[in-house]
Amino acid sequence: FAVFPHFLKTHPLLLLFITGMILYEVHESAWLRGLLAGWIEICAAGLFVVTVLLTPSIEMGDFFRGPYTSLIRCTFLSLSIFGLMFVTFSHYGFLSSIFRWRWLRGLGLVSYSFYLIHGLLIHFVHFILLSVVAKEIHSDLFFFLALPLAAGAAIAGALSLFLWIEEPFSFPSPNKAKTKRVEAAATLKT
């Protein structure tokens, strides 16, 4: 057990995984659900936004320099994500209604396809833009102007991958599954 703090120091993202496991257990036990009020939802969302905005300064600032910088950053992120997700899952309010939006749930279905293809497509867009635009223009402004194009290409590629490959194999329609069962039963009878 004495090795665990050193392990977290070398693998700080493990803390996010552990936070997810704890969130699941706390949510399933339901012992805090009755204590939630609407103002806690606002506090959790505010804490998450502040954490996301301050996280880059933890990496760049002098205050948190040292061997535990990534661990501190992951700890803040873990606590804020835990609070945000717990309130969202356990309290029906504004945050819960946002995560029930149909298009956002659809985006969640495509997230694995996005994970698989985004790097390739973003590098492809970067390569094409650098070959078209002079390399002297390559600056922060160029990055922010090219970002919507790269994000659009990544989303379009992820949707294509999902619709043509992932959905037909991972989410077969009920009618096709029923037809296959009927065909299999018919072949067994003959």
Side-chain angles (χ1 to χ4, degrees), residues 124-156:
F124 179 73
V125 168
H126 182 250
F127 175 74
I128 296 297
L129 287 176
L130 283 181
S131 65
V132 172
V133 179
K135 291 187 180 186
E136 296 83 32
I137 301 176
H138 193 71
S139 66
D140 290 341
L141 179 62
F142 174 76
F143 171 78
F144 285 110
L145 291 176
L147 188 61
L149 183 62
I155 291 170

Side-chain angles (χ1 to χ4, degrees), residues 34 81 141 161 190:
I81 290 171
L141 179 62
L161 181 66
T190 58

Side-chain angles (χ1 to χ4, degrees), residues 64-181:
F64 290 112
R65 288 251 185 236
Y68 293 101
T69 303
S70 293
L71 182 60
I72 292 169
R73 179 177 53 93
C74 285
T75 301
F76 286 144
L77 283 172
S78 294
L79 291 174
S80 66
I81 290 171
F82 179 87
L84 182 72
M85 291 297 108
F86 179 73
V87 169
T88 301
F89 296 152
S90 301
H91 175 71
Y92 187 77
F94 178 70
L95 290 174
S96 180
S97 65
I98 288 175
F99 286 109
R100 285 190 174 94
W101 289 348
R102 186 177 187 157
W103 66 270
L104 195 56
R105 292 176 66 121
L107 191 61
L109 283 174
V110 180
S111 65
Y112 184 66
S113 297
F114 184 81
Y115 164 74
L116 290 176
I117 204 161
H118 80 280
L120 176 69
L121 292 175
I122 289 172
H123 283 293
F124 179 73
V125 168
H126 182 250
F127 175 74
I128 296 297
L129 287 176
L130 283 181
S131 65
V132 172
V133 179
K135 291 187 180 186
E136 296 83 32
I137 301 176
H138 193 71
S139 66
D140 290 341
L141 179 62
F142 174 76
F143 171 78
F144 285 110
L145 291 176
L147 188 61
L149 183 62
I155 291 170
L159 282 170
S160 300
L161 181 66
F162 177 78
L163 293 173
W164 291 335
I165 296 172
E166 187 179 356
E167 186 180 40
F169 293 108
S170 299
F171 306 105
S173 71
N175 293 336
K176 287 182 183 177
K178 184 178 179 182
T179 304
K180 287 181 182 180
R181 284 194 305 267

